[in-house]
Amino acid sequence: DGRSADAAMASRGAQETDVLRRNVEDQLNRLLMQMNDLEELKDELDAEEIDTIMADTNLQLREFQEYLDKVTQGNMTLVDEFNSVQLAIRAAISQAFKTPEVIRMFAQKQPRQLRAKLADFDRDHKLGKIATDDYVARKVEVLTALKKLGERLSTEESSYLSQNMTRQVAEFEQANDDLAQDKLLSVATSQIKDAQN
């Protein structure tokens, strides 16, 4: 009967989406681990080695981004599912976000964990465990991630973000606003074509 065939197809589609989600998470985690390893080993590597590894990681991030763009093309469910992953990858590529842990939390839509990480950064800065420049960069990363996830920022946080936003973060925000409009138009066009067929 037609209903059981539709249910079977929907079930298979859900399974395929789950497999795709796991594969995307695994690939993102692998690339973030690479970035984290590079950060931890930077004192042991010379500048040329760091540049080579970073260039390779950025190339892999770009290829991953292209793959996600292709997979989500015209599919609103997948666009919704992987939007934060795509934004996180763009942030890493543009150097707007440099902290692998923040990129991971952003990609996995974890605002509570980001808030906890922000509190950790505040504490570590007060204790002198991280330099002011690193603290400012990390705080801006977290606040930008929270904002992009639709979290409400306090007046103080919004002010801090606007005062300390780097050029890369500003360009990332603008590019992602443009990207969101392009994706929405692409999905709408695809749905109109499907409806006409």
Side-chain angles (χ1 to χ4, degrees), residues 47-164:
E48 188 176 323
E49 287 174 312
I50 292 172
D51 290 345
T52 300
I53 294 169
M54 192 52 135
D56 182 53
T57 302
N58 277 331
L59 175 64
Q60 291 176 50
L61 283 166
R62 281 187 182 86
E63 289 170 350
F64 187 41
Q65 180 64 49
E66 289 169 9
Y67 167 75
L68 283 176
D69 286 345
K70 192 167 78 178
V71 167
T72 60
Q73 186 82 34
N75 185 328
M76 196 60 188
T77 303
L78 291 178
V79 167
D80 287 345
E81 180 83 27
F82 298 120
N83 187 47
S84 62
V85 173
Q86 290 178 296
L87 291 176
I89 292 168
R90 277 192 176 76
I93 290 170
S94 71
Q95 300 292 304
F97 291 7
K98 296 179 181 176
T99 310
E101 196 173 2
V102 171
I103 296 168
R104 179 178 292 112
M105 287 182 233
F106 177 55
Q108 295 175 348
K109 300 179 186 175
Q110 299 176 328
R112 265 198 235 99
Q113 290 87 337
L114 284 164
R115 286 271 177 208
K117 183 50 71 181
L118 182 58
D120 290 348
F121 290 155
D122 287 341
R123 181 199 66 229
D124 289 350
H125 183 251
K126 286 177 185 168
L127 295 174
K129 291 183 178 181
I130 57 176
T132 299
D133 288 347
D134 288 340
Y135 168 72
V136 169
R138 290 176 184 179
K139 186 169 182 171
V140 166
E141 283 182 40
V142 172
L143 291 174
T144 301
L146 287 167
K147 183 178 173 185
K148 282 296 181 187
L149 289 175
E151 291 295 304
R152 181 177 224 103
L153 299 183
S154 70
T155 305
E156 180 183 308
E157 290 171 333
S158 293
S159 176
Y160 188 90
L161 184 59
S162 64
Q163 289 172 6
N164 294 288

Side-chain angles (χ1 to χ4, degrees), residues 14-32:
Q15 288 173 340
E16 288 173 356
T17 300
D18 285 344
V19 168
L20 180 60
R21 182 183 310 113
R22 280 192 303 276
N23 290 342
V24 165
E25 287 173 1
D26 289 348
Q27 176 70 356
L28 180 63
N29 285 333
R30 187 186 66 71
L31 290 168
L32 292 174

